[in-house]
């Protein structure tokens, strides 16, 4: 039964959206745990660690572990800035909305455009992670050829097939009622957390060596310690993105000014700690650090060989659940970004993309668009196994750059004394604020983000084109980003004004 307090809080949530010039169309059904689940499932420790552990180890050896706390520290600073913004601008399309209000509509549009294209690529990359787990769980999931490694032609093609099947399922869920999506998300995140804790405990109790091994580069790190850490940081960088999804779902969250800032920080912190322990456990429990398996098969090899087929397969099944829920959550976040930009008339076919089903409270068209585009990207895997890494690193760079397009304008506002630090949330408590730490935290967050963007996009031949002869994969990230910006600029110059069906709200302009 709805109480007076519940009704007053709902009315307060709706009024807070009207303050920015929007009607409440999405259904508010997410509580604090569901908001946390939105951020945690995008990060999805088990999905991303299992997907990129082998890569990090192959290039850095055991020492790649230390890139993890460094990246976590940097991302916590970014998340702290985002927490402040989530409290002040509880709107879907967070990166686009925040950047537009901190800078100007054109700059904010490019931030949103880069972010949403990056999210589409992340959806494709997450779906590819099934190849790292399903064939190890049961050989029948290897539908194409016999070689399960994602770096092989068979493995790459099979990854694309499994990924497309998963995208069909997640798209169907994303056009259903958001309460169904929320339940699946919460159940999946709970299973992932339980599974991650079990994996950590079991791996640590099956340790074969001491933590001191993490200071060894091994034979893999040919570029020295710094090179090992820079390339090894790809694993951590890929894992710890998407915590802003809690802000992305603000229009569907109860008391978003209070809830979203806290869940942004708790989702990242929880995922960071769990992921670091999973990686450490894998290094300590691996049967061998030199037989080549860790750099190819990754953590799936550690689980089945160290814990036995029975326990190992049960835990791998939990990882499959995590991958499915992660793909669902990332697709949901991307569809909310498309919806938010289309609602402002800032995308082609804006009328259709901005339409919300009044019964389900879901914008169905954006979910379908994201699913189709991600499936098209998966077809690159049929061209070359190197597409797997190209897709994975490209999505990280796109998101890091979009994040910098928020932290940059925010820092300028702080230095000018124009960033509002006061205000109260729905309960009357002060809004989340960094206070006097705002400028130093923001400045380091921006520098960290820009440095990591350059590191990730740097066209290392050994990383992006190990087999040689594919210059376009070596430069794939730079080329993809350039094409994204050029296409966006052309559309803005030639069609944006004529195709805008909805004026940009005065608060944005």
């Amino acid at each position: 039964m709805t109480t007076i307090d519940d009704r007053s809080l709902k009315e307060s949530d709706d009024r807070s959206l009207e303050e920015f010039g929007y009607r409440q169309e999405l259904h508010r059904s997410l509580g604090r745990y569901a908001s946390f689940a939105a951020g945690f499932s995008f990060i999805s420790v088990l999905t991303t660690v299992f997907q990129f552990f082998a890569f990090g180890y192959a290039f850095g050896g055991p020492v790649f572990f230390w890139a993890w706390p460094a990246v976590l520290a940097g991302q916590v600073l970014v998340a702290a800035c985002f927490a402040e913004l989530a409290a002040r601008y509880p709107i879907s399309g967070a990166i686009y909305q925040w950047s537009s209000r901190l800078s100007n509509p054109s700059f904010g549009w490019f931030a949103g455009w880069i972010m949403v294209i990056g999210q589409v690529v992340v959806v494709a990359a997450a779906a590819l992670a099934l190849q790292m787990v399903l064939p190890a769980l049961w050989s029948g999931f290897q539908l194409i050829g016999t070689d399960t490694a994602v770096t092989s032609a068979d493995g790459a093609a099979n990854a694309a097939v499994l990924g497309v099947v998963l995208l069909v399922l997640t798209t169907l869920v994303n056009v259903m009622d958001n309460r169904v999506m929320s339940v699946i998300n919460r159940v999946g995140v709970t299973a992932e957390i339980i599974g991650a804790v079990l994996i950590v405990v079991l791996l640590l109790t099956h340790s074969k060596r001491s933590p001191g091994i993490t200071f060894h580069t091994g034979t893999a790190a040919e570029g020295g310690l710094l090179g090992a850490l820079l390339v090894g940081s790809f694993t951590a960088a890929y894992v710890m993105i998407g915590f802003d999804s809690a802000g992305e779902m603000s229009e569907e969250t109860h008391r978003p000014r209070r809830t979203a800032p806290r869940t942004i920080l708790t989702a990242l912190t929880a995922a960071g700690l769990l992921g670091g322990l999973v990686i450490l456990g894998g290094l300590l429990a691996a049967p061998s650090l030199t037989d080549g398996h860790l750099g190819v098969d990754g953590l799936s090899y550690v689980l089945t060989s160290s814990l036995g087929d029975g326990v190992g397969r049960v835990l791998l099944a939990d990882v499959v659940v995590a991958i499915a829920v992660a793909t669902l959550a990332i697709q949901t976040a991307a569809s909310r970004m498309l919806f938010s930009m289309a609602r402002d008339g800032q995308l082609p076919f804006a009328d259709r993309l901005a339409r919300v089903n009044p019964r389900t409270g879901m914008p169905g068209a954006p979910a379908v668009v994201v699913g189709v585009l991600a499936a098209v990207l998966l077809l690159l895997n049929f061209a070359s196994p190197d597409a797997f890494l190209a897709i994975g690193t490209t999505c990280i760079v796109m998101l890091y750059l979009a994040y910098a397009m928020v932290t940059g304008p925010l820092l300028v506002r702080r230095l000018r004394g124009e960033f509002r630090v006061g205000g109260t949330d729905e309960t009357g408590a002060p809004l989340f604020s960094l206070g006097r730490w705002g400028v130093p935290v923001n400045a380091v967050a921006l520098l960290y983000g820009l440095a990591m963007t350059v590191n990730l996009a740097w066209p290392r031949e050994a990383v992006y084109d190990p087999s040689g002869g594919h210059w376009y994969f070596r430069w794939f990230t730079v080329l993809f980003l350039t094409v994204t910006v050029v296409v966006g600029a052309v559309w803005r110059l030639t069609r944006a004004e004529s195709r805008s069906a909805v004026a940009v709200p005065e608060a944005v302009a």
Side-chain angles (χ1 to χ4, degrees), residues 22-299:
Y22 299 114
R23 293 185 298 114
Q24 181 68 49
E25 295 182 279
L26 304 177
H27 292 180
R28 288 195 187 272
S29 61
L30 308 184
R32 183 167 183 175
Y33 187 69
S35 176
F36 164 82
F40 189 91
S41 56
F42 192 123
I43 300 171
S44 189
V45 172
L46 294 186
T47 299
T48 46
V49 169
F50 270 78
Q51 190 173 12
F52 266 71
F53 179 95
F55 170 81
Y57 186 84
F59 279 92
V63 77
F64 96 97
F65 166 80
W66 292 106
W68 189 274
V71 172
L72 175 59
Q75 290 296 69
V76 166
L77 298 180
V78 176
C81 295
F82 285 6
E84 283 190 306
L85 295 172
R88 288 154 182 79
Y89 307 113
I91 317 172
S92 291
I95 299 299
Y96 156 68
Q97 295 285 353
W98 297 343
S99 184
S100 296
R101 286 168 167 77
L102 293 169
S103 55
N104 59 65
S106 294
F107 189 83
W109 185 89
F110 275 103
W113 175 246
I114 291 171
M115 182 69 181
V116 76
I117 298 300
Q119 286 174 323
V120 170
V121 184
V122 178
V123 173
L128 286 173
L130 283 179
Q131 181 63 23
M132 299 295 295
V133 184
L134 280 181
L137 186 62
W138 178 49
S139 59
F141 286 116
Q142 185 65 32
L143 305 174
I144 298 177
T146 57
D147 194 338
T148 62
V150 292
T151 53
S152 68
D154 289 350
N158 197 68
V161 172
L162 295 176
V164 169
V165 173
L166 176 58
L167 287 174
V168 171
L169 297 176
T170 58
T171 301
L172 289 175
V173 174
N174 256 311
V175 297
M176 299 171 67
D177 193 294
N178 71 344
R179 288 171 295 185
V180 175
M181 177 205 65
S182 176
V183 169
I184 293 175
N185 215 10
R186 281 178 288 164
V187 171
V189 165
T190 302
E192 179 173 6
I193 292 173
I194 293 172
V197 171
L198 284 175
I199 288 173
V200 169
V201 171
L202 290 172
L203 289 179
L204 291 180
T205 55
H206 286 74
S207 294
K208 292 179 170 58
R209 54 193 64 87
S210 72
I213 192 66
T214 58
F215 292 98
H216 296 189
T217 58
T219 58
E222 298 177 359
L225 179 60
L226 179 60
L229 290 174
L230 288 176
V231 179
S233 67
F234 283 32
T235 301
Y238 181 65
V239 174
M240 286 179 275
I241 53 175
F243 45 84
D244 54 293
S245 292
E248 197 74 65
M249 304 297 289
S250 287
E251 290 183 31
E252 295 155 87
T253 304
H254 297 300
R255 297 191 292 181
R257 292 181 187 273
R258 181 172 183 81
T259 301
R262 288 160 175 76
T263 52
I264 286 174
L265 291 168
T266 53
L268 175 61
T269 303
L273 292 176
L274 271 178
L277 289 173
V278 169
I279 289 178
L280 179 62
L283 291 172
L284 300 186
S288 172
L289 299 179
T290 58
D291 62 3
H293 279 293
L294 271 187
V296 176
D297 303 316
L299 285 175

Side-chain angles (χ1 to χ4, degrees), residues 435-468:
R436 63 181 179 178
W437 290 98
V439 170
V441 167
N442 198 160
V444 177
L446 175 61
L447 291 174
Y448 157 79
L450 293 175
M452 279 298 294
T453 300
V454 173
N455 175 43
L456 294 165
W458 200 263
R460 300 173 176 89
E461 184 176 6
V463 174
Y464 296 113
D465 188 22
S467 58

